[in-house]
Amino acid sequence: MLILMFRAGGRRYAIDAARVAEVVPRVRLRPLPHAPAHLAGVFDYRGEVVTVLDVGVLLGAEPAPDRLNTRVILADRRADPRATDSPRALLGLLAADVDDLATVDPAAFVPTPVPIPTAPYLGGVAEIGSGMVQLLLVARVLDAPTA
């Protein structure tokens, strides 16, 4: 499995690179009134309105820093991103240090010992050459409670 790694809240996370449509520079977002704090806003991506979440805030940490290496990862959140019978559903993930790809055996991701019902998007953890990384399950990010 090829993964795209990034930082949020000072820790390393990754998503399955098969879900990545594109990585774009941080763009000006239109905020949505009364939205949860982790919902950074929306923007127009080639005629499609894309919702962008700040991964750091989603994880209960500080927002993504305003730096050149902070990017918006455009990821397909459908259950099967390879499906051709439904249009892709893009979700933007705002994160820092979006700069590293790695190949990891999917079996290397060990489930966390305690399930966290408020964070259904957190997948297993794996040790790779640059340290530990936790998988973010893009298809489950919007399943998280917003209270």
Side-chain angles (χ1 to χ4, degrees):
M1 160 194 264
L2 186 63
I3 58 172
L4 174 65
M5 291 183 286
F6 56 90
R7 286 198 181 278
R11 292 187 171 73
R12 193 61 114 171
Y13 293 89
I15 64 171
D16 182 348
R19 292 191 170 279
V20 177
E22 190 171 345
V23 176
V24 299
R26 186 175 191 150
V27 296
R28 184 175 305 276
L29 300 172
R30 182 188 192 286
L32 297 174
H34 309 289
H38 64 272
L39 201 157
V42 296
F43 79 106
D44 181 287
Y45 173 74
R46 300 180 184 178
E48 181 178 350
V49 176
V50 176
T51 300
V52 178
L53 305 181
D54 187 312
V55 180
V57 177
L58 178 70
L59 297 169
E62 66 273 3
D66 192 11
R67 296 192 311 231
L68 288 175
N69 67 353
T70 297
R71 302 276 188 236
V72 177
I73 303 166
L74 296 171
D76 192 333
R77 63 181 181 84
R78 292 178 297 170
D80 181 2
R82 293 170 189 87
T84 57
D85 58 343
S86 62
R88 71 181 180 185
L90 291 180
L91 177 65
L93 302 171
L94 185 63
D97 299 329
V98 182
D99 61 2
D100 205 4
L101 290 167
T103 302
V104 180
D105 181 350
F109 285 98
V110 178
T112 55
V114 178
I116 304 170
T118 56
Y121 49 84
L122 289 177
V125 178
E127 181 70 36
I128 60 170
S130 60
M132 283 194 136
V133 64
Q134 186 164 23
L135 199 59
L136 196 80
L137 307 173
V138 175
R140 310 261 342 255
V141 168
L142 296 179
D143 294 345
T146 57

